[in-house]
Amino acid sequence: MLLLLLLLAFDASLSQAALYKDTSQPIHARVQDLLSRMTLEEKIGQMTQIERENATGSVITKYFIGSVLSGGGSVPAPRASAATWAAFVDGLQDGALATRLGIPIIYGIDAVHGHNNVYGATIFPHNVGLGSAGDPDLVKRIGAATALEVRATGIQYTFAPCVAVCRDPRWGRCFESYSEHPELVKAMTTIISGLQGETPAKGVPYVGGSSKVAACSKHYVGDGGTRSGINENNTVGSYKRLVGTHMLPYFDAIDKGVSTVMISYSSWNGIKMHKNRHLITDILKKRLRFKGFVISDWQGIDRITNPAGANYTYSVLVSVTAGIDMIMVPYEYTKFIDTLTSLVKQGFISLDRIDDAVRRILFVKFTAGLFEHPKSDSSYRSQIGAHRDLAREAVRKTLVLLKNGKNAKYPLLPLSKTASKILVAGSHANNLGNQCGGWTITWQGASGNTTLGTTILQGISNTVSKNTQVVYEESPSSSSVKGGGYDFAIVVVGEPPYAETQGDNLNLTIPQDGANTIESVCSSVKCLVILISGRPLVVAPHLSSMDALVAAWLPGSEGQGIADVIFGDYDFQGKSSRTWFKSVEQLPMNYGDVEYDPLFPFGYGLKMGKK
C-alpha cells in the first residue's frame, strides 16, 4: 500500500510540475523542462527514426521511438486512402503517447513533388521543371498545397525541398534539383514558406499550424557536385567554391526557418558528409546558426564505411559526434539504440552531445504543435488530389520551347485545334507513370497508369475540335505515317522513370525506341517533339528533323497543361534551368564556365507568339 501511495504521489507531482505541458510557457522553457525529466533511454529513442514496415505502437512505446518514416513506396496498404493512412499514423502516435512522458512521434515522408507516395494525390512537376518556371510564388503555393495533402494523411513532416545545385546532368538525382545555378535554387526556397508557413522570427524553425508541415532542406552539402555526376560520390573543390555554389541555398532555407536539414551521402574532398563535424557542427550549427535538427539519410551512417556497415560502432560514433541529431536507421533500430547507449555509457559520446540532439528534436516537435495536436485532423481528408488546377498551371509555366519551325519565318506552333487529322506517337504520350518520373507512388516510379491524372494524349484529345481525328500509335512506321494523311504529328518521348543511383547515366541519349519514333515520324510529316526527361539529353543529332521541340521535363499528373500551351491558349513562359549541351564530352558544363559552348544556353526559351 505504501508503494502504491508513493507511486501515486510521484505521478501527481510529475503532472503538477510538468511545465512542458503548459502551452503558456515559452517553447525553450518547455523543451528544457522535458529534457530534464528524460532518461538516457528516452533521449536515445528520440534520436531514432524507424521505417513504417517495422513500426508498431508497442515498438514505439517500448523503445521511446521519436520518429517514423515511409520510404519510397512504403504504404499501409495498396492505394491506401487518406483515412487509411491517417488511421495508421494515429495508431503509431497512440504508442508514443502511452510512454511515461507522452512525447509524440514526428512522421516523415518524401513528399517531393506533391504527396507522391499516395495514390490519387496531386503530382506536381519535378524541381527541374519548376526551376525553368522561375516563379518563387508558384513554388510557394505548391508547398502550401503539398502541406495540405500531406496533412490529409496525418503526416507532419516532409523530406523536402531538395536544394541541391546539380552541376552535372549525368547525376541520377538531377531532376530533384531546381537548377545548375545556385541563385535560382536559392530563389526557390520559397517552397519552405509554403510548406511550413512564414516564420515570425528569421532563422527560427516554425510550423504555422495544423495545415502546415515541417520541411527538410537536403542534402547537405555538395550532393550535386560529385565527379561525373556519380551519385553518392566525391565533390572536390575549395571551401569557397563549396559555399558559393552548394551551400548558398541553405542560407535562405535557414532564414526561412526550415525545421530540419538532411545530410548527403556524398563526400567533400574525400570526407564523408555523414562524419564531417566541421561542416555539420562548426558551419551549419554554429556559423549558420541552424536551430532545427540534423537528420541522416536512409542508412546514411552505415555508408560511412565501405562496405556499408563494416564497422557499425565506428559509424554511430563519428556520425553522432559530427552533429547528426536523428538517425534514419531505418530497420535495425535495436542495434542502433544498443550501440549508441553503450558509446555514451563508456564515455565515447558525451551526454551534452545527446542533450543537444534531443533539445533540437523536441524544439521542432513543440514548434510543430505536436504536443497539443498529435493526431490527424479529419477535416483535411478531402485535400488529396484537390490541387490539380495548380499543378496544371505549374506544367504550363515549366515548358521550355527550344525550337519552333525549321525556318523561323514559318513556325509550327501554336498547333491548330481544328486540324482534320493528327498523329500522336511515342512511349510517353499516354503514360502517366512516364510523365511523372521517379519518386511517384514508388521510389523508382514506374511506367503505366500508376496513379490518377491526365495523360498528354488525353489533354490533346480534350483540347482539339470534336471534328479533329486524333490517332494514337506508340511506334508507327515511316510508311504508315506517310500514308496517314496527317496534318501534323506530336511525338512524346523521353526517359523511363528512375531515382537516385539507378538514374546515373554517362551517355544521356534519348532511349532508342524514342529516337526511332522521332526519325520515323519527323521524316514523314511536320512534327512537334515533346521531350519528357529529368535533365537535358543529347538532342543535337535529331534536331534538324524536328519542326519544333519542347522540353516538358517531368510534368507530373496534369498533362492537360501541355495541351494548354502547344495549342495556343497560353504562350510559353519557361526558361531552361539547365544548359543544353551538344555532346556529353562537354560535361560538366555550366553557365559561367570559361569554356561554355552550349546547344541551348542556361535561361534559353522561345516565345511562340501568334501565327
Side-chain angles (χ1 to χ4, degrees):
M1 178 63 73
L2 178 61
L3 178 61
L4 177 61
L5 289 172
L6 287 171
L7 288 171
L8 289 171
F10 174 77
D11 287 343
S13 64
L14 178 66
S15 175
Q16 291 169 4
L19 183 149
Y20 76 91
K21 295 182 178 180
D22 184 351
T23 58
S24 69
Q25 296 295 323
I27 287 178
H28 286 290
R30 298 177 72 188
V31 168
Q32 194 55 42
D33 179 70
L34 178 52
L35 186 65
S36 71
R37 300 170 184 274
M38 295 174 71
T39 65
L40 178 61
E41 290 73 21
E42 288 167 331
K43 291 174 182 178
I44 288 175
Q46 285 301 302
M47 297 173 67
T48 308
Q49 186 180 67
I50 67 174
E51 221 290 326
R52 179 208 60 82
E53 288 182 30
N54 55 348
T56 64
S58 60
V59 165
I60 289 168
T61 304
K62 181 177 180 179
Y63 294 100
F64 311 105
I65 298 298
S67 184
V68 178
L69 84 150
S70 277
S74 179
V75 299
R79 298 189 175 187
S81 66
T84 299
W85 272 98
F88 175 76
V89 176
D90 284 347
L92 298 181
Q93 195 67 279
D94 286 336
L97 299 177
T99 59
R100 181 177 71 95
L101 296 171
I103 304 173
I105 60 166
I106 187 168
Y107 196 112
I109 197 166
D110 287 279
V112 297
H113 64 138
H115 199 8
N116 44 266
N117 252 21
V118 176
Y119 183 81
T122 309
I123 306 298
F124 293 97
H126 267 299
N127 289 351
V128 65
L130 295 177
S132 294
D135 186 339
D137 178 68
L138 171 67
V139 170
K140 182 179 178 180
R141 287 185 286 134
I142 288 172
T146 300
L148 286 168
E149 298 204 23
V150 171
R151 280 292 196 172
T153 57
I155 295 172
Q156 320 98 344
Y157 176 27
T158 175
F159 305 125
C162 177
V163 293
V165 180
C166 175
R167 302 291 283 179
D168 193 323
R170 292 173 290 188
W171 186 35
R173 305 194 77 155
C174 207
F175 66 82
E176 298 182 57
S177 167
Y178 292 106
S179 178
E180 69 191 44
H181 199 305
E183 289 290 347
L184 180 51
V185 177
K186 177 183 170 184
M188 297 296 105
T189 58
T190 50
I191 193 171
I192 294 167
S193 300
L195 290 165
Q196 297 192 158
E198 296 279 359
T199 180
K202 184 178 178 181
V204 179
Y206 174 77
V207 179
S210 63
S211 66
K212 299 297 183 181
V213 295
C216 178
S217 290
K218 64 182 187 182
H219 309 83
Y220 183 84
V221 60
D223 51 344
T226 60
R227 284 188 167 177
S228 301
I230 297 171
N231 193 40
E232 303 181 20
N233 204 250
N234 191 26
T235 297
V236 177
S238 67
Y239 177 71
K240 181 178 180 181
R241 179 179 294 179
L242 183 75
V243 171
T245 300
H246 299 287
M247 202 178 290
L248 190 66
Y250 288 91
F251 300 164
D252 274 38
I254 292 169
D255 281 352
K256 289 179 172 65
V258 71
S259 295
T260 72
V261 169
M262 184 182 292
I263 302 302
S264 175
Y265 287 125
S266 60
S267 303
W268 178 55
N269 292 334
I271 300 174
K272 285 281 189 179
M273 275 304 308
H274 274 77
K275 70 172 187 178
N276 197 318
R277 177 179 169 82
H278 174 63
L279 290 178
I280 297 172
T281 294
D282 296 340
I283 302 301
L284 179 63
K285 289 185 170 180
K286 294 181 178 179
R287 188 173 300 177
L288 301 185
R289 299 181 180 180
F290 172 62
K291 297 179 176 64
F293 69 79
V294 176
I295 186 169
S296 80
D297 207 333
W298 176 282
Q299 296 179 330
I301 70 168
D302 303 55
R303 301 188 199 184
I304 288 172
T305 59
N306 187 14
N311 188 339
Y312 192 68
T313 300
Y314 169 79
S315 294
V316 173
L317 174 63
V318 296
S319 61
V320 174
T321 303
I324 299 179
D325 304 311
M326 182 179 284
I327 307 298
M328 191 183 294
V329 177
Y331 297 117
E332 296 183 278
Y333 55 90
T334 57
K335 180 181 179 181
F336 168 72
I337 289 170
D338 291 345
T339 302
L340 181 54
T341 301
S342 176
L343 286 167
V344 175
K345 288 183 174 180
Q346 293 181 67
F348 291 106
I349 296 176
S350 71
L351 194 55
D352 285 346
R353 171 76 274 271
I354 299 299
D355 284 351
D356 171 62
V358 178
R359 187 177 290 111
R360 289 167 177 273
I361 292 165
L362 295 178
F363 185 80
V364 169
K365 289 185 176 184
F366 276 112
T367 59
L370 295 182
F371 284 82
E372 288 70 52
H373 305 286
K375 303 295 248 342
S376 65
D377 184 339
S378 61
S379 68
Y380 292 119
R381 299 283 190 271
S382 62
Q383 293 294 326
I384 292 294
H387 303 93
R388 298 190 185 279
D389 286 345
L390 176 59
R392 181 174 171 179
E393 175 192 346
V395 173
R396 292 195 297 262
K397 291 181 175 179
T398 61
L399 302 177
V400 177
L401 180 59
L402 297 173
K403 179 180 179 179
N404 190 16
K406 292 182 178 177
N407 184 320
K409 293 181 180 179
Y410 303 103
L412 179 64
L413 302 177
L415 300 175
S416 171
K417 295 180 184 179
T418 58
S420 175
K421 186 179 183 183
I422 64 176
L423 171 66
V424 180
S427 53
H428 289 55
N430 195 34
N431 193 308
L432 270 176
N434 281 357
Q435 74 188 47
C436 289
W439 289 112
T440 307
I441 304 302
T442 60
W443 172 39
Q444 292 293 316
S447 292
N449 292 327
T450 55
T451 189
L452 303 179
T454 303
T455 68
I456 297 166
L457 173 63
Q458 289 169 336
I460 292 167
S461 298
N462 292 341
T463 302
V464 297
S465 164
K466 63 181 181 180
N467 297 318
T468 298
Q469 182 182 358
V470 178
V471 177
Y472 171 63
E473 190 174 350
E474 183 172 325
S475 303
S477 66
S478 179
S479 59
S480 69
V481 176
K482 288 178 180 176
Y486 299 111
D487 292 85
F488 55 81
I490 301 171
V491 178
V492 191
V493 295
E495 295 185 292
Y498 57 80
E500 300 191 38
T501 302
Q502 286 83 336
D504 286 356
N505 186 330
L506 296 179
N507 62 65
L508 295 180
T509 54
I510 297 173
Q512 194 59 51
D513 61 340
N516 291 342
T517 302
I518 290 171
E519 295 309 313
S520 62
V521 174
C522 295
S523 64
S524 307
V525 68
K526 288 187 293 185
C527 75
L528 160 64
V529 174
I530 299 173
L531 190 62
I532 306 295
S533 66
R535 53 200 163 187
L537 300 179
V538 178
V539 297
H542 313 285
L543 195 59
S544 62
S545 66
M546 306 172 186
D547 292 274
L549 173 61
V550 171
W553 310 109
L554 296 170
S557 60
E558 304 313 303
Q560 185 66 52
I562 292 177
D564 289 343
V565 176
I566 63 175
F567 286 98
D569 291 337
Y570 296 83
D571 205 344
F572 286 87
Q573 298 182 48
K575 303 295 180 184
S576 183
S577 60
R578 304 209 54 83
T579 295
W580 288 74
F581 47 88
K582 295 174 181 176
S583 69
V584 291
E585 286 72 29
Q586 295 176 291
L587 300 177
M589 178 176 64
N590 295 283
Y591 177 78
D593 288 355
V594 174
E595 295 185 13
Y596 190 69
D597 182 27
L599 181 65
F600 301 112
F602 168 83
Y604 184 85
L606 300 172
K607 289 287 189 181
M608 183 167 54
K610 296 181 179 179
K611 286 188 176 179

